[in-house]
Amino acid sequence: MQLFGATGVWFISAWPAAVGAVGLVVLLGVLYFLLSLALPKVAAIALTTAKAALAHPLFWVELLIGAVLLILIFPFVPYYTFGEDVKMLKDSG
């Protein structure tokens, strides 16, 4: 984790979050693979259900509304960054 940038400004590197996200995707893939080996019919139903949910247009509308709400809430969440809240809001948005 890097705490100082080239300009000497405090920041936390995004690497831990990126590694965690990739790890989560890999974990879900491994779990699905194990499920397909143990229970192939259940895995087929789960895959079909996931595809149907992603294909439904309401899913994307809900995702967009959730993202907009989070962006609107970010200014009120304390970051404890010593006056860098606006910068954090821009990065989060």
Side-chain angles (χ1 to χ4, degrees):
M1 183 182 309
Q2 187 175 3
L3 293 178
F4 288 104
T7 60
V9 177
W10 282 82
F11 72 93
I12 297 175
S13 176
W15 279 102
V19 170
V22 170
L24 180 64
V25 170
V26 169
L27 178 67
L28 288 174
V30 169
L31 288 175
Y32 177 74
F33 177 73
L34 292 174
L35 179 68
S36 66
L37 288 178
L39 304 166
K41 291 182 180 181
V42 173
I45 293 170
L47 183 63
T48 304
T49 304
K51 285 182 180 180
L54 288 174
H56 202 278
L58 188 60
F59 170 78
W60 298 106
V61 171
E62 291 172 352
L63 189 67
L64 179 66
I65 290 171
V68 168
L69 287 175
L70 282 175
I71 290 173
L72 292 174
I73 290 172
F74 278 143
F76 304 106
V77 176
Y79 288 112
Y80 305 109
T81 57
F82 304 110
E84 296 288 328
D85 291 345
V86 175
K87 188 175 182 181
M88 294 288 285
L89 176 62
K90 288 179 182 178
D91 290 342
S92 300

